[in-house]
Amino acid sequence: EAEVAQSPRYKITEKSQAVAFWCDPISGHATLYWYRQILGQGPELLVQFQDESVVDDSQLPKDRFSAERLKGVDSTLKIQPAELGDSAMYLCASSLNWRGGQGQFFGPGTRLTVL
Amino acid sequence: KNEVEQSPQNLTAQEGEFITINCSYSVGISALHWLQQHPGGGIVSLFMLSSGKKKHGRLIATINIQEKHSSLHITASHPRDSAVYICAVNAGNKLTFGGGTRVLVKP
């Protein structure tokens, strides 16, 4: 069964360091999402791509976070410099397209701990 | 007020009990999702529904569009059902999540 892949699964870093997360969506899925989930809360959308274009990054802290999906397939989310408050689960999801009612498929997530 | 509210926030049940989780939303939606997240794990989609009722194994999801309300039921609950259950709604091209319900089923 096709799955969304993410790596690494766990990352521990010190504040002020740079970190990067990778996501490979289900083949053929045009829309890719990065979410941040703080412990005990629901996921919060950081950025949404349609193919290689960003369609929503309104909640992305652009002073330290960046995301790219250069070839419209896999994607990288970067944080530089990491802060203590960035400790969270970072989830990637994909769907066939952005239209309402389409199911999103989630990856296993990357749990980030900033010390 | 959040656009998606879930209740209860936490629920403890004995094995075999019937469990109900509720979700209310305040926006127009095209679909509602019920998701399951095990501790430390990723999210698994359980149901996507836009009307009526769906059943999968011991899980049943219902939605009332007029009342903007959905319920997830677990029949004959089992310790492996222990997880966080998240309600999410498609509003426009966005998925908006509830805060989740933490379910613990004791043997």
PDB file of all heavy atoms in Angstrom, chain A residues 20-41:
ATOM      1  N   ALA A  20      16.579  19.914   9.289  1.00  0.00           N
ATOM      2  CA  ALA A  20      15.830  19.735   8.046  1.00  0.00           C
ATOM      3  C   ALA A  20      15.076  18.419   8.095  1.00  0.00           C
ATOM      4  O   ALA A  20      15.590  17.414   8.590  1.00  0.00           O
ATOM      5  CB  ALA A  20      16.775  19.753   6.846  1.00  0.00           C
ATOM      6  N   PHE A  21      13.858  18.456   7.582  1.00  0.00           N
ATOM      7  CA  PHE A  21      13.005  17.273   7.530  1.00  0.00           C
ATOM      8  C   PHE A  21      12.644  17.008   6.076  1.00  0.00           C
ATOM      9  O   PHE A  21      12.447  17.950   5.299  1.00  0.00           O
ATOM     10  CB  PHE A  21      11.709  17.477   8.335  1.00  0.00           C
ATOM     11  CG  PHE A  21      11.906  18.069   9.691  1.00  0.00           C
ATOM     12  CD1 PHE A  21      11.124  19.134  10.112  1.00  0.00           C
ATOM     13  CD2 PHE A  21      12.866  17.570  10.560  1.00  0.00           C
ATOM     14  CE1 PHE A  21      11.288  19.688  11.370  1.00  0.00           C
ATOM     15  CE2 PHE A  21      13.039  18.118  11.810  1.00  0.00           C
ATOM     16  CZ  PHE A  21      12.254  19.185  12.219  1.00  0.00           C
ATOM     17  N   TRP A  22      12.502  15.727   5.765  1.00  0.00           N
ATOM     18  CA  TRP A  22      12.215  15.344   4.387  1.00  0.00           C
ATOM     19  C   TRP A  22      10.906  14.580   4.319  1.00  0.00           C
ATOM     20  O   TRP A  22      10.563  13.819   5.228  1.00  0.00           O
ATOM     21  CB  TRP A  22      13.366  14.487   3.862  1.00  0.00           C
ATOM     22  CG  TRP A  22      13.185  13.961   2.485  1.00  0.00           C
ATOM     23  CD1 TRP A  22      13.359  14.620   1.303  1.00  0.00           C
ATOM     24  CD2 TRP A  22      12.790  12.636   2.131  1.00  0.00           C
ATOM     25  NE1 TRP A  22      13.112  13.786   0.235  1.00  0.00           N
ATOM     26  CE2 TRP A  22      12.754  12.557   0.720  1.00  0.00           C
ATOM     27  CE3 TRP A  22      12.453  11.495   2.865  1.00  0.00           C
ATOM     28  CZ2 TRP A  22      12.410  11.404   0.038  1.00  0.00           C
ATOM     29  CZ3 TRP A  22      12.112  10.339   2.188  1.00  0.00           C
ATOM     30  CH2 TRP A  22      12.085  10.301   0.786  1.00  0.00           C
ATOM     31  N   CYS A  23      10.183  14.777   3.222  1.00  0.00           N
ATOM     32  CA  CYS A  23       8.910  14.091   3.024  1.00  0.00           C
ATOM     33  C   CYS A  23       8.788  13.637   1.566  1.00  0.00           C
ATOM     34  O   CYS A  23       9.056  14.424   0.649  1.00  0.00           O
ATOM     35  CB  CYS A  23       7.739  15.018   3.358  1.00  0.00           C
ATOM     36  SG  CYS A  23       6.110  14.348   2.921  1.00  0.00           S
ATOM     37  N   ASP A  24       8.384  12.402   1.371  1.00  0.00           N
ATOM     38  CA  ASP A  24       8.108  11.881   0.041  1.00  0.00           C
ATOM     39  C   ASP A  24       6.633  11.478  -0.002  1.00  0.00           C
ATOM     40  O   ASP A  24       6.233  10.529   0.658  1.00  0.00           O
ATOM     41  CB  ASP A  24       8.994  10.674  -0.265  1.00  0.00           C
ATOM     42  CG  ASP A  24       8.941  10.279  -1.731  1.00  0.00           C
ATOM     43  OD1 ASP A  24       8.422  11.064  -2.553  1.00  0.00           O
ATOM     44  OD2 ASP A  24       9.423   9.178  -2.066  1.00  0.00           O
ATOM     45  N   PRO A  25       5.812  12.202  -0.742  1.00  0.00           N
ATOM     46  CA  PRO A  25       4.373  11.921  -0.736  1.00  0.00           C
ATOM     47  C   PRO A  25       4.037  10.665  -1.538  1.00  0.00           C
ATOM     48  O   PRO A  25       4.903  10.085  -2.194  1.00  0.00           O
ATOM     49  CB  PRO A  25       3.794  13.165  -1.409  1.00  0.00           C
ATOM     50  CG  PRO A  25       4.872  13.580  -2.371  1.00  0.00           C
ATOM     51  CD  PRO A  25       6.165  13.278  -1.661  1.00  0.00           C
ATOM     52  N   ILE A  26       2.799  10.281  -1.493  1.00  0.00           N
ATOM     53  CA  ILE A  26       2.320   9.170  -2.309  1.00  0.00           C
ATOM     54  C   ILE A  26       2.437   9.566  -3.783  1.00  0.00           C
ATOM     55  O   ILE A  26       2.099  10.709  -4.150  1.00  0.00           O
ATOM     56  CB  ILE A  26       0.875   8.807  -1.934  1.00  0.00           C
ATOM     57  CG1 ILE A  26       0.853   8.211  -0.522  1.00  0.00           C
ATOM     58  CG2 ILE A  26       0.272   7.835  -2.944  1.00  0.00           C
ATOM     59  CD1 ILE A  26      -0.531   7.965   0.032  1.00  0.00           C
ATOM     60  N   SER A  27       2.922   8.644  -4.580  1.00  0.00           N
ATOM     61  CA  SER A  27       3.138   8.924  -5.992  1.00  0.00           C
ATOM     62  C   SER A  27       1.849   9.405  -6.662  1.00  0.00           C
ATOM     63  O   SER A  27       0.783   8.799  -6.496  1.00  0.00           O
ATOM     64  CB  SER A  27       3.639   7.653  -6.680  1.00  0.00           C
ATOM     65  OG  SER A  27       3.805   7.875  -8.069  1.00  0.00           O
ATOM     66  N   GLY A  28       1.956  10.511  -7.378  1.00  0.00           N
ATOM     67  CA  GLY A  28       0.798  11.056  -8.074  1.00  0.00           C
ATOM     68  C   GLY A  28       0.020  12.083  -7.297  1.00  0.00           C
ATOM     69  O   GLY A  28      -0.895  12.710  -7.846  1.00  0.00           O
ATOM     70  N   HIS A  29       0.349  12.246  -6.019  1.00  0.00           N
ATOM     71  CA  HIS A  29      -0.354  13.246  -5.217  1.00  0.00           C
ATOM     72  C   HIS A  29       0.234  14.618  -5.484  1.00  0.00           C
ATOM     73  O   HIS A  29       1.400  14.875  -5.224  1.00  0.00           O
ATOM     74  CB  HIS A  29      -0.247  12.902  -3.732  1.00  0.00           C
ATOM     75  CG  HIS A  29      -1.222  11.854  -3.315  1.00  0.00           C
ATOM     76  ND1 HIS A  29      -1.524  11.605  -1.991  1.00  0.00           N
ATOM     77  CD2 HIS A  29      -1.984  10.998  -4.042  1.00  0.00           C
ATOM     78  CE1 HIS A  29      -2.429  10.645  -1.927  1.00  0.00           C
ATOM     79  NE2 HIS A  29      -2.724  10.258  -3.157  1.00  0.00           N
ATOM     80  N   ALA A  30      -0.608  15.518  -5.978  1.00  0.00           N
ATOM     81  CA  ALA A  30      -0.132  16.838  -6.357  1.00  0.00           C
ATOM     82  C   ALA A  30      -0.001  17.777  -5.157  1.00  0.00           C
ATOM     83  O   ALA A  30       0.789  18.713  -5.180  1.00  0.00           O
ATOM     84  CB  ALA A  30      -1.072  17.454  -7.389  1.00  0.00           C
ATOM     85  N   THR A  31      -0.779  17.525  -4.131  1.00  0.00           N
ATOM     86  CA  THR A  31      -0.806  18.451  -2.988  1.00  0.00           C
ATOM     87  C   THR A  31      -0.047  17.853  -1.807  1.00  0.00           C
ATOM     88  O   THR A  31      -0.230  16.682  -1.462  1.00  0.00           O
ATOM     89  CB  THR A  31      -2.247  18.761  -2.576  1.00  0.00           C
ATOM     90  OG1 THR A  31      -2.985  19.157  -3.735  1.00  0.00           O
ATOM     91  CG2 THR A  31      -2.276  19.889  -1.563  1.00  0.00           C
ATOM     92  N   LEU A  32       0.808  18.663  -1.231  1.00  0.00           N
ATOM     93  CA  LEU A  32       1.622  18.225  -0.093  1.00  0.00           C
ATOM     94  C   LEU A  32       1.469  19.255   1.013  1.00  0.00           C
ATOM     95  O   LEU A  32       1.448  20.471   0.759  1.00  0.00           O
ATOM     96  CB  LEU A  32       3.085  18.091  -0.512  1.00  0.00           C
ATOM     97  CG  LEU A  32       4.084  17.553   0.518  1.00  0.00           C
ATOM     98  CD1 LEU A  32       5.182  16.742  -0.171  1.00  0.00           C
ATOM     99  CD2 LEU A  32       4.667  18.643   1.377  1.00  0.00           C
ATOM    100  N   TYR A  33       1.349  18.769   2.235  1.00  0.00           N
ATOM    101  CA  TYR A  33       1.132  19.618   3.409  1.00  0.00           C
ATOM    102  C   TYR A  33       2.202  19.329   4.465  1.00  0.00           C
ATOM    103  O   TYR A  33       2.557  18.180   4.688  1.00  0.00           O
ATOM    104  CB  TYR A  33      -0.221  19.314   4.052  1.00  0.00           C
ATOM    105  CG  TYR A  33      -1.405  19.259   3.109  1.00  0.00           C
ATOM    106  CD1 TYR A  33      -1.663  18.120   2.356  1.00  0.00           C
ATOM    107  CD2 TYR A  33      -2.289  20.328   3.006  1.00  0.00           C
ATOM    108  CE1 TYR A  33      -2.753  18.043   1.510  1.00  0.00           C
ATOM    109  CE2 TYR A  33      -3.394  20.260   2.161  1.00  0.00           C
ATOM    110  CZ  TYR A  33      -3.612  19.112   1.414  1.00  0.00           C
ATOM    111  OH  TYR A  33      -4.708  19.046   0.583  1.00  0.00           O
ATOM    112  N   TRP A  34       2.665  20.375   5.104  1.00  0.00           N
ATOM    113  CA  TRP A  34       3.472  20.239   6.309  1.00  0.00           C
ATOM    114  C   TRP A  34       2.657  20.796   7.480  1.00  0.00           C
ATOM    115  O   TRP A  34       2.136  21.917   7.415  1.00  0.00           O
ATOM    116  CB  TRP A  34       4.768  21.025   6.199  1.00  0.00           C
ATOM    117  CG  TRP A  34       5.843  20.378   5.390  1.00  0.00           C
ATOM    118  CD1 TRP A  34       6.229  20.675   4.117  1.00  0.00           C
ATOM    119  CD2 TRP A  34       6.699  19.318   5.810  1.00  0.00           C
ATOM    120  NE1 TRP A  34       7.257  19.870   3.718  1.00  0.00           N
ATOM    121  CE2 TRP A  34       7.571  19.026   4.740  1.00  0.00           C
ATOM    122  CE3 TRP A  34       6.830  18.573   6.985  1.00  0.00           C
ATOM    123  CZ2 TRP A  34       8.558  18.035   4.802  1.00  0.00           C
ATOM    124  CZ3 TRP A  34       7.803  17.594   7.052  1.00  0.00           C
ATOM    125  CH2 TRP A  34       8.649  17.332   5.977  1.00  0.00           C
ATOM    126  N   TYR A  35       2.556  19.987   8.536  1.00  0.00           N
ATOM    127  CA  TYR A  35       1.854  20.391   9.753  1.00  0.00           C
ATOM    128  C   TYR A  35       2.823  20.338  10.932  1.00  0.00           C
ATOM    129  O   TYR A  35       3.755  19.541  10.970  1.00  0.00           O
ATOM    130  CB  TYR A  35       0.699  19.434  10.072  1.00  0.00           C
ATOM    131  CG  TYR A  35      -0.444  19.430   9.099  1.00  0.00           C
ATOM    132  CD1 TYR A  35      -0.485  18.510   8.052  1.00  0.00           C
ATOM    133  CD2 TYR A  35      -1.498  20.330   9.237  1.00  0.00           C
ATOM    134  CE1 TYR A  35      -1.556  18.499   7.169  1.00  0.00           C
ATOM    135  CE2 TYR A  35      -2.571  20.315   8.362  1.00  0.00           C
ATOM    136  CZ  TYR A  35      -2.593  19.392   7.329  1.00  0.00           C
ATOM    137  OH  TYR A  35      -3.657  19.368   6.460  1.00  0.00           O
ATOM    138  N   ARG A  36       2.545  21.161  11.931  1.00  0.00           N
ATOM    139  CA  ARG A  36       3.235  21.078  13.211  1.00  0.00           C
ATOM    140  C   ARG A  36       2.197  20.736  14.275  1.00  0.00           C
ATOM    141  O   ARG A  36       1.116  21.338  14.317  1.00  0.00           O
ATOM    142  CB  ARG A  36       3.902  22.409  13.560  1.00  0.00           C
ATOM    143  CG  ARG A  36       4.575  22.419  14.930  1.00  0.00           C
ATOM    144  CD  ARG A  36       5.383  23.686  15.141  1.00  0.00           C
ATOM    145  NE  ARG A  36       4.591  24.898  15.055  1.00  0.00           N
ATOM    146  CZ  ARG A  36       5.096  26.122  15.078  1.00  0.00           C
ATOM    147  NH1 ARG A  36       6.392  26.286  15.178  1.00  0.00           N
ATOM    148  NH2 ARG A  36       4.307  27.175  15.001  1.00  0.00           N
ATOM    149  N   GLN A  37       2.543  19.761  15.112  1.00  0.00           N
ATOM    150  CA  GLN A  37       1.638  19.351  16.172  1.00  0.00           C
ATOM    151  C   GLN A  37       2.360  19.423  17.507  1.00  0.00           C
ATOM    152  O   GLN A  37       3.270  18.641  17.780  1.00  0.00           O
ATOM    153  CB  GLN A  37       1.116  17.940  15.931  1.00  0.00           C
ATOM    154  CG  GLN A  37       0.066  17.515  16.950  1.00  0.00           C
ATOM    155  CD  GLN A  37      -0.430  16.100  16.710  1.00  0.00           C
ATOM    156  OE1 GLN A  37       0.255  15.283  16.111  1.00  0.00           O
ATOM    157  NE2 GLN A  37      -1.636  15.796  17.177  1.00  0.00           N
ATOM    158  N   ILE A  38       1.943  20.381  18.315  1.00  0.00           N
ATOM    159  CA  ILE A  38       2.484  20.504  19.657  1.00  0.00           C
ATOM    160  C   ILE A  38       1.764  19.493  20.547  1.00  0.00           C
ATOM    161  O   ILE A  38       0.569  19.234  20.371  1.00  0.00           O
ATOM    162  CB  ILE A  38       2.313  21.940  20.176  1.00  0.00           C
ATOM    163  CG1 ILE A  38       3.175  22.876  19.323  1.00  0.00           C
ATOM    164  CG2 ILE A  38       2.676  22.059  21.644  1.00  0.00           C
ATOM    165  CD1 ILE A  38       2.900  24.330  19.532  1.00  0.00           C
ATOM    166  N   LEU A  39       2.493  18.931  21.489  1.00  0.00           N
ATOM    167  CA  LEU A  39       1.954  17.870  22.336  1.00  0.00           C
ATOM    168  C   LEU A  39       0.620  18.284  22.960  1.00  0.00           C
ATOM    169  O   LEU A  39       0.503  19.354  23.548  1.00  0.00           O
ATOM    170  CB  LEU A  39       2.975  17.553  23.434  1.00  0.00           C
ATOM    171  CG  LEU A  39       2.722  16.280  24.242  1.00  0.00           C
ATOM    172  CD1 LEU A  39       2.808  15.056  23.351  1.00  0.00           C
ATOM    173  CD2 LEU A  39       3.720  16.178  25.394  1.00  0.00           C
ATOM    174  N   GLY A  40      -0.375  17.426  22.783  1.00  0.00           N
ATOM    175  CA  GLY A  40      -1.682  17.675  23.381  1.00  0.00           C
ATOM    176  C   GLY A  40      -2.604  18.535  22.540  1.00  0.00           C
ATOM    177  O   GLY A  40      -3.738  18.818  22.938  1.00  0.00           O
ATOM    178  N   GLN A  41      -2.142  18.937  21.360  1.00  0.00           N
ATOM    179  CA  GLN A  41      -2.968  19.772  20.483  1.00  0.00           C
ATOM    180  C   GLN A  41      -3.147  19.107  19.128  1.00  0.00           C
ATOM    181  O   GLN A  41      -2.435  18.162  18.779  1.00  0.00           O
ATOM    182  CB  GLN A  41      -2.311  21.147  20.302  1.00  0.00           C
ATOM    183  CG  GLN A  41      -2.146  21.931  21.589  1.00  0.00           C
ATOM    184  CD  GLN A  41      -1.510  23.282  21.348  1.00  0.00           C
ATOM    185  OE1 GLN A  41      -1.496  23.803  20.235  1.00  0.00           O
ATOM    186  NE2 GLN A  41      -0.994  23.884  22.410  1.00  0.00           N
TER     187      GLN A  41
END
